[in-house]
Amino acid sequence: MAREVALRLEIEEERPEPRKRWKRLLSTARKHPLGVFGMGCVSLLFFCGIFADLIVPYDPEATLRETQTYGTLVNAIKPNETRLTIANAQLEGGTNFDIDGERMTVLPLPAPKVSATGTIINVQRASSQSAHEAGATLELDTAIANTKPSWSHPFGTDHNAKDVLSRVIFGARISLLIGLTAIITGVTAGAFFGVISGYFGKIIDTIIQRCVDILLAFPAVVLLLAIITVVGDEDSSVRRFLANNTPLPKGEFIGIPTFLDVFIVALVIGLAVAVFTTRVVRGAVLSIKENVYVDAARAMGASDARIMMRHIFPNVAALVVILGSVLLPVAILAEAAISFLGVGVPLGTPSWGADLSDEKSRQLMLEGYWWPVFFPGLALSLVVLGFNMVGDAFRDLSDPRLRGSGLGGGGGGGGAGRGPI
Amino acid sequence: MRDYIVRRLLILVPVMIGVSLLTFSLFNIIPGDACVLRLGFGSTPETLKACREAHGLNRPLFPVSVNSDLPVIHVQGDSQYGGWLWDIVAHQDLGQSLAEGGAKVSTELERRLPITLELMIMTVIFALVLGILPGMLSAIRPNTPIDWIARVLSVLWLSIPSFYLAILMITFGLLWFGWTPPQFGRGYVPFMDDPWVNLQQFVFPALVLSVGIAAVIMRLTRSAMLEVLRNDYIRTAWSKGLRERTVVWRHALKNALIPVVTLVGLQIGALIGGAVIIESVYNLNGVGKYTLEAIIRRDLFVVQSLTLMFALVYVSCNLFVDIAYAWLDPRIHYN
């Protein structure tokens, strides 16, 4: 008997607690490969969003240019000469190029003439004092627009000669910023009104719930479009208030050129989140306030504020956190949708939705330049997919009845990552 | 039951009044009224005044106003808000566009509503087929390859944004198959005129829009079906020797579909939002595209009337769903 106890103790000593936990985590991960994949997507979103300016290969706003060797000079040109013959080059009027460091501009008229030796063009010279020998190379300074995905530009460049990969990475930052701002403001406001509405009941409850009814009577996309048109207007009072009375930067901030516009979009999405949260939290509070400990606290003379803070709110906190994490992808998707419709963030902001809606890019896509639209959309889809897969895995793990059955969630389980769009 | 419907209808009245108030004031807090927006910077005080008189913008905004002098509450018989609502309720007149030509909203709706309705009906049909069948299959064969494929499909469909899917379909349809939907370059063709072209116009927009809803339906069908299959009456059906087809279709699916029906009704909001997006991508001149254009043009009269109509449709659908739920499931009583 004694030996058995000693043996068991020994065994337990051999297995330290942390390794066991690791093993359990690993085996859980192996059972939910989709959840692991989703977790990867979500982590990538957070990583790219937080470290965007450290990991981007290029500036997402900068027009990329490169100097290109473009043909050679056929005959020597003397000072003051503006006519030259070049080999292997077709240059349009207005193009700039350099010969031995001297800047020249192709004159549109008279038109270039093609002869047996090369193309004869007329140029305007920056300094007419230098001569150039035959065989000197022409250096052309061009914008790198519409280049295919390659090693130097893994996602290619768009028609504005901007690096698509850098824009997608900054898009993660904008999505994350809008998502988190909308969720934090929305869920906080929603929890506040929900707790007050559920706790006080009567007239306060009626007023708040009728307001919620009215806001819920609109289809979400229509409501967002309408409010953003009004609030995002250049001289709307909300914008002026935010610009003048808050420390929010008016111009560029953390690499986002139109920070205020992005922030306003986030606040409007936050409003929609708040409406939904208010309704759900109120329902939970109605049952929580019937508990005996609430009566006990009141009997001990606790004030309403104290009861709400110390006894009601901690009990809805978990619900609020879950709501926030479920609504985060919905908020990200909502931003992309309204930016796609041209009402959200201003065009040119490296947001996924705005990049998808770029008229010129979409036109070029039909001609085979698919990458400037394809990759932002792919990033958006992967992020939403990631959140949904993580959500599914968690639901699986937390509901023992559905363990092993994959999808769970009973009644309304389906709608997790979807919502308004 | 009748009392319940009456009570819900009565609650609807104050909600709709609130909705109309919100819509109206939302579009009247933009600095500069509709005439300033329409005439732009080139307007003189005279033309502005003429425009305001023509559109009735010189009237007070609300029928009731609060002032500091006595009597504190003033009632105006003729106000912009009152006129707008009265025209809608009494004359079914939704106002007219501010743009040149000033098309009436009701005539535009008459022209565009069939397009949106056809899109929505086809979307719902696709969503039901794409959702219920795989959902049912994966529930009766849990943890088999069919089940895994259905589950992965559902989460993929749930996640891909409809506008992205639409762009991909248009682009790669053109690049790989050289095919574009016939509405580009050619207007809407009614079903009665040429059913084949009409279907070609709608099949892809409806498919794209239905994918997200189908995913939700698939998941709900699957979990409802699993729930139902655990019931005693299913075991009874098996043990009395019924064929699988009878058990699944007659006993299980029928009961599993009750929550699905209500879910479809509740998706009307997503459907309206989706129509706004998909109609503009697929160049369908429906109500959704009309709304978006009006919002971008700041055509206030059109936007406020359309928003009100959307809210009305949405709220009535939700009410209808609640009633249908009680009618389908006799166990539910509303008191």
Side-chain angles (χ1 to χ4, degrees), chain B residues 132-166:
Chain B
I132 291 177
L133 286 180
M136 188 185 77
L137 277 179
S138 79
I140 55 176
R141 300 271 183 277
N143 296 319
T144 57
I146 296 179
D147 186 26
W148 296 328
I149 292 171
R151 270 151 59 182
V152 170
L153 264 189
S154 84
V155 75
L156 281 180
W157 287 355
L158 194 66
S159 307
I160 188 161
S162 60
F163 46 94
Y164 182 52
L165 187 60

Side-chain angles (χ1 to χ4, degrees), chain A residues 34 210 213-223 225-227 229-237 240 333 336-337 340-343 353 356-357 362 365-370 373-381 384-386 388-389 392 395-396 401-402 404-421, chain B residues 11 14-20 22-23 26-27 29-31 37 143 147 150-152 154-164 167-168 170-172 174-175 209 211-213 215-216 218-220 222-224 226-227 230 267-270 272-274 276-277 280-281 291-292 295-296 298 303 306-308 310-312 314-315 318:
Chain A
L34 294 184
R210 285 313 134 249
D213 273 343
I214 289 169
L215 285 166
L216 282 180
F218 294 94
V221 171
V222 175
L223 183 70
L225 286 180
I227 296 184
T229 327
V230 173
V231 176
D233 198 85
E234 277 130 48
D235 44 17
S236 83
S237 44
R240 237 180 297 136
L333 207 51
F340 174 77
L341 292 175
V343 181
L356 278 172
S357 80
R362 296 245 303 270
M365 194 180 183
L366 295 179
E367 291 162 25
Y369 300 94
W370 47 270
V373 176
F374 178 78
F375 287 113
L378 185 68
L380 178 65
S381 311
V384 179
L385 185 69
N388 282 335
M389 283 180 166
D392 282 358
R395 204 176 303 134
D396 249 20
R401 273 187 313 138
L402 298 161
S405 71
L407 300 181
R418 195 99 194 151
I421 289 89
Chain B
I11 295 176
V15 167
M16 281 322 289
I17 290 177
V19 165
S20 69
L22 179 68
T23 334
L26 193 60
F27 290 104
I29 55 171
I30 304 182
L37 286 174
N143 296 319
D147 186 26
R151 270 151 59 182
V152 170
S154 84
V155 75
L156 281 180
W157 287 355
L158 194 66
S159 307
I160 188 161
S162 60
F163 46 94
Y164 182 52
I167 291 177
L168 289 186
I170 293 176
T171 308
F172 292 108
L174 180 68
L175 290 182
L209 198 51
V211 155
I213 300 169
V216 182
M218 196 201 291
R219 299 173 141 225
L220 188 62
R222 183 178 184 276
S223 60
L226 283 175
E227 200 88 11
R230 251 182 257 154
Q267 291 293 318
I268 185 78
I272 291 175
V276 173
I277 296 170
S280 61
V281 182
T291 315
L292 184 67
I295 283 179
I296 289 173
R298 305 281 160 91
V303 180
L306 285 180
T307 316
L308 188 66
F310 279 139
L312 188 63
Y314 189 41
V315 171
N318 285 347

Side-chain angles (χ1 to χ4, degrees), chain B residues 119-270:
Chain B
L119 178 66
M120 286 188 172
I121 291 170
M122 275 181 82
T123 304
V124 171
I125 293 174
F126 280 146
L128 287 175
V129 173
L130 289 176
I132 291 177
L133 286 180
M136 188 185 77
L137 277 179
S138 79
I140 55 176
R141 300 271 183 277
N143 296 319
T144 57
I146 296 179
D147 186 26
W148 296 328
I149 292 171
R151 270 151 59 182
V152 170
L153 264 189
S154 84
V155 75
L156 281 180
W157 287 355
L158 194 66
S159 307
I160 188 161
S162 60
F163 46 94
Y164 182 52
L165 187 60
I167 291 177
L168 289 186
M169 286 219 177
I170 293 176
T171 308
F172 292 108
L174 180 68
L175 290 182
W176 291 344
F177 306 107
W179 191 82
T180 39
Q183 59 264 36
F184 293 103
R186 184 175 173 186
Y188 162 69
V189 179
F191 187 77
M192 290 305 161
D193 293 5
D194 190 343
W196 179 235
V197 175
N198 175 278
L199 285 182
Q200 280 187 337
Q201 287 185 329
F202 280 96
V203 101
F204 283 102
L207 200 62
V208 166
L209 198 51
S210 69
V211 155
I213 300 169
V216 182
I217 293 179
M218 196 201 291
R219 299 173 141 225
L220 188 62
T221 310
R222 183 178 184 276
S223 60
M225 197 73 177
L226 283 175
E227 200 88 11
V228 169
L229 285 174
R230 251 182 257 154
N231 276 324
D232 289 343
Y233 62 82
I234 297 293
R235 199 174 42 206
T236 312
W238 282 119
S239 53
K240 70 182 177 187
L242 291 178
R243 281 176 305 173
E244 184 181 21
R245 204 172 44 185
T246 321
V247 176
V248 170
W249 287 90
R250 293 278 296 278
H251 291 82
L253 188 65
K254 244 177 156 181
N255 287 300
L257 283 188
I258 293 175
V260 174
V261 170
T262 61
L263 181 80
V264 173
L266 291 176
Q267 291 293 318
I268 185 78

